Amino acid sequence: MPDAPDTATAVALACEAIADAASATVAAMRAAPSVPTATPIRARVVAARSRLRTVTPDTVLDAGADYDREATARLRQCRTALRLLASARADQARAQHYLDSGRLDRKLPAAQRRALLEGHSPSPDDLALINKLALGPVGPARTTAALIDHAQSVVDAGITEATRLRVVGLATTLTARGRQRLTGEVAIADVAARALEARTETADALAGLRRSLQSTRTSEYDVAALAAAQDVRARAWVAALGRDAVGVQAWTGRGATQVHYRPDVSATAVAIGQSLRGALLTVAASSMLAAHFAGGSSPFTERWRSAARDVPRGRAGALDAAPATGLSRLRGLVVGIEDLQVNQSKRVSILRVQTPTSQRTLVLPHFNPRYVGLRVGTSIDLRAVRSPDVLAEFTNNNTRTRLQVLEAAWGGPGGYLVDRRDLASEAEDSWLVWLVREVRPAFDALPSSINGSWSLGLWASLAVSASTLS
């Protein structure tokens, strides 16, 4: 066994390793992409113009392809940055090894030893670069270890934003693809079968990713390769389901003054929406996994492996709805929306839903349903609480007159209050819900935690883009 280095040698080697770690960290910060804050907003504008027919479908498809290419380039930059951070961590570990092998813990006071290991003050040029690229200012007292952690957070944010941009790019094209096939050429049974096939395949893809994360024999690079392959397949399903979603929406027979309800069409539209959300979730999760795991071991990879091992698989239908005692299941078609400003800070939306037997009132408090895709013509399958006077808590001097008019028109105050899911609690018992919460900054598969499912039709791209901006 070689002799341990003397104190002077150990200090010199440790300082050299610390300097290498700091250099790799700064290089990682330089490689990391800046956050594209304006691009998703531009995507929403393009999608809206497509919906209003002010641009051609080809223009929208080209824009979506541009967003996807930009996302791919940014993910590539992030992978480079992650590899540099892996090198920085190795250098930091090398410095620790030199200090341990030199037995400096016995020869130096603890404070001096800690200062030697972590004590790197970035140069003014380094600080200027880090302050420009980072999420916040970095003071001159930052140690190398803290700089590595800070750089990791910057790269993690870059991967999330690039993934979000990929999802937005896919969503932008949905309306345009639908305009290419707004017909009844395909039998409704065939569309339903395709939605089920997509749902099964994307569920299998996510299950496969979970198994790869659980296995100690699967390397980081193997996980990255599998995730990249699943991403490609899921994006193909998004394109196919987008066409179906808009085509089925047309079958509702929306006219100038009314929406026609067909239970079979409505059920199929909801099924497509469920499958489309599952496919987009697979895209988001796979993109993030592929980027992080290609960069080697990191806090992200350790957290995902730990969750795959420790969190139960949970219910297969976790994306659809959460069962709860005392809830009613409301299935039908949204035929009207009334907005109500209760006071300066509270706003509610009241939906009239056509069911197979009658029209019902459904209240969604505190958010605009249009931003999650709930619009006139949307098919729903929601869980709600039945109330004999669903609008009582929203009645005051500002709203009383209008609510009285609505109640008279609807035949009474009875209705339903939409149920919200407790995703934090569910994530402890369902890996799929844990996954939803983990990728939520990039794509929200359960927007506003609404308990249930609904169709994504003509406004699909706006709904998905909005959910990534909230």
Side-chain angles (χ1 to χ4, degrees), residues 423-434:
L423 298 185
S425 177
E426 289 186 49
E428 297 177 0
D429 301 312
S430 169
W431 182 79
L432 188 59
V433 177
W434 180 91

Side-chain angles (χ1 to χ4, degrees), residues 58-81:
D58 287 343
T59 299
V60 183
L61 293 174
D62 289 344
D66 288 342
Y67 299 147
D68 187 68
R69 281 191 291 270
E70 183 178 348
T72 298
R74 290 179 181 279
L75 289 169
R76 188 177 297 117
Q77 290 175 292
C78 289
R79 287 193 292 270
T80 299

Side-chain angles (χ1 to χ4, degrees), residues 19-187:
D20 289 344
S23 176
T25 302
V26 172
M29 296 287 286
R30 190 186 299 275
S34 59
V35 176
T37 53
T39 306
I41 297 174
R42 290 199 305 271
R44 281 186 62 185
V45 173
V46 171
R49 293 177 65 196
S50 171
R51 171 67 182 87
L52 297 174
R53 311 295 178 93
T54 60
V55 296
T56 66
D58 287 343
T59 299
V60 183
L61 293 174
D62 289 344
D66 288 342
Y67 299 147
D68 187 68
R69 281 191 291 270
E70 183 178 348
T72 298
R74 290 179 181 279
L75 289 169
R76 188 177 297 117
Q77 290 175 292
C78 289
R79 287 193 292 270
T80 299
L82 286 175
R83 285 191 286 270
L84 288 166
L85 283 179
S87 175
R89 286 195 180 85
D91 290 331
Q92 192 77 0
R94 181 161 54 94
Q96 179 70 61
H97 170 74
Y98 290 139
L99 294 181
D100 291 341
S101 63
R103 297 192 178 91
L104 296 190
D105 56 328
R106 301 178 184 176
K107 300 177 182 180
L108 293 178
Q112 284 183 295
R113 185 174 182 275
R114 186 167 55 252
L116 176 64
L117 179 62
E118 299 183 349
H120 170 72
S121 181
S123 70
D125 288 343
D126 288 349
L127 279 175
L129 173 66
I130 292 170
N131 285 333
K132 178 180 179 182
L133 297 178
L135 300 175
V138 179
R142 284 276 189 170
T143 66
T144 303
L147 281 174
I148 292 173
D149 291 341
H150 184 73
Q152 181 72 53
S153 69
V154 173
V155 178
D156 288 350
I159 290 175
T160 297
E161 289 298 323
T163 302
R164 183 166 89 149
L165 182 57
R166 168 159 286 170
V167 172
V168 168
L170 285 169
T172 302
T173 66
L174 294 181
T175 300
R177 292 187 185 279
R179 283 169 57 186
Q180 293 177 331
R181 192 175 76 189
L182 283 173
T183 71
E185 296 173 356
V186 180

Side-chain angles (χ1 to χ4, degrees), residues 84 86 176 221 249 258 381:
L84 288 166
Y221 297 114
Q249 187 79 20
Q258 63 179 340
D381 184 355

Side-chain angles (χ1 to χ4, degrees), residues 385-458:
V385 178
R386 178 76 172 91
S387 172
D389 191 349
V390 72
L391 296 171
E393 66 175 291
F394 309 113
T395 303
N396 57 32
N397 292 334
N398 297 326
T399 64
R400 184 170 288 104
T401 300
R402 186 176 177 195
L403 288 179
Q404 288 174 347
V405 173
L406 292 176
E407 289 173 7
W410 296 338
Y416 299 81
L417 185 67
V418 67
D419 183 58
R420 300 288 187 86
R421 298 173 62 169
D422 182 359
L423 298 185
S425 177
E426 289 186 49
E428 297 177 0
D429 301 312
S430 169
W431 182 79
L432 188 59
V433 177
W434 180 91
L435 179 69
V436 168
R437 296 187 76 228
E438 189 70 16
V439 306
R440 213 167 195 181
F443 169 64
D444 190 357
L446 296 172
S448 297
S449 301
I450 295 174
N451 193 358
S453 302
W454 56 95
S455 62
L456 293 175
L458 292 174

Side-chain angles (χ1 to χ4, degrees), residues 57 64 103 124 274 464:
R103 297 192 178 91
Q274 292 169 335
V464 173

